[in-house]
Amino acid sequence: MTRLIFLGPPGAGKGTQAQTLAQHLHIPHISTGEILRQAMKEQTPLGIKAQSYVDSGELVPDQLVQDLVQERLEQPDAHSGWILDGFPRKVTQAAFLEELLEKTHQGGEQVVNLDVPDEVVVERLLTRGRKDDTEEVIRRRLEVYRAETAPLIDYYRDRQKLLMVNGNQSLEEVTTKLQNVIAS
Ligand code: ADP
């Protein structure tokens, strides 16, 4: 049973790696960013609420993402494991998840931190060209990452759930490293 949380700055390659690994392991890849972008495209109530936050590089309110993650983890395909990408993104969300997993008897999760230097991240984001990848929004997303999300590295290290992987290598190399650390 594989339950994985991917941590790392925007542009670390979490999405790509999480997707590859999820396919390989036949478990769902749950990306809160993707779910929010889809909801915004379809202009669902969730999408409408999230739009202004995502467009400006801010985190959407906890309640919105927590509800969507809880609902997603209750789907039958998540019973055989999952990879969470983009959640949790702050300590309050991590505490929520911890409690949810305990309540639903889904423990044993591991956390992978994809480590990539700042300058590489900015370069990658600028060439990616997503709608929220303008320079100003990228700068804000990185600030939010440092202030809110980076503390999760210590949070999970303290709980002995943390695996570190160097994300500053080719896609294939990162995939191989990930498969090695997770198997162990
Ligand atoms: P990236 O990894 O490039 O930052 P994501 O696709 O993970 O992009 O997220 C895009 C945006 O969606 C974030 O900037 C944020 O506004 C919103 N978002 C995604 N996940 C969360 C979350 N767990 N909490 C709050 N906001 C989130």
Side-chain angles (χ1 to χ4, degrees), residues 10 14 32-33 37 54 58 60 86 89 93 128 130 141:
K14 295 188 298 288
T32 46
R37 276 189 290 281
V54 174
E58 303 297 330
V60 310
R89 239 180 171 87
Q93 295 178 5
R128 188 167 72 176
R130 213 168 65 193
R141 293 224 307 278

Side-chain angles (χ1 to χ4, degrees), residues 1-7 21 25 27-28 30 69 73 78-85 87-88 91 93-113 152-153 155-164 181-184:
M1 172 75 66
T2 308
R3 297 187 183 111
L4 276 180
I5 294 168
F6 268 57
L7 283 185
L21 201 57
L25 298 170
I27 54 178
I30 303 173
V69 166
L73 290 181
H79 292 159
S80 48
W82 37 257
I83 300 181
L84 269 178
D85 160 17
F87 186 92
V91 170
Q93 295 178 5
F96 167 85
L97 182 64
E98 199 165 62
E99 197 177 315
L100 176 68
L101 296 181
E102 205 170 296
K103 247 182 353 210
T104 55
H105 311 289
Q106 300 188 57
E109 74 279 17
Q110 289 182 297
V111 182
V112 176
N113 186 60
L152 291 180
I153 297 173
Y155 180 95
Y156 285 118
R157 190 186 285 119
D158 290 347
R159 285 162 176 71
Q160 279 149 21
K161 290 181 175 163
L162 190 72
L163 306 166
M164 292 290 265
V181 289
I182 288 155
S184 66

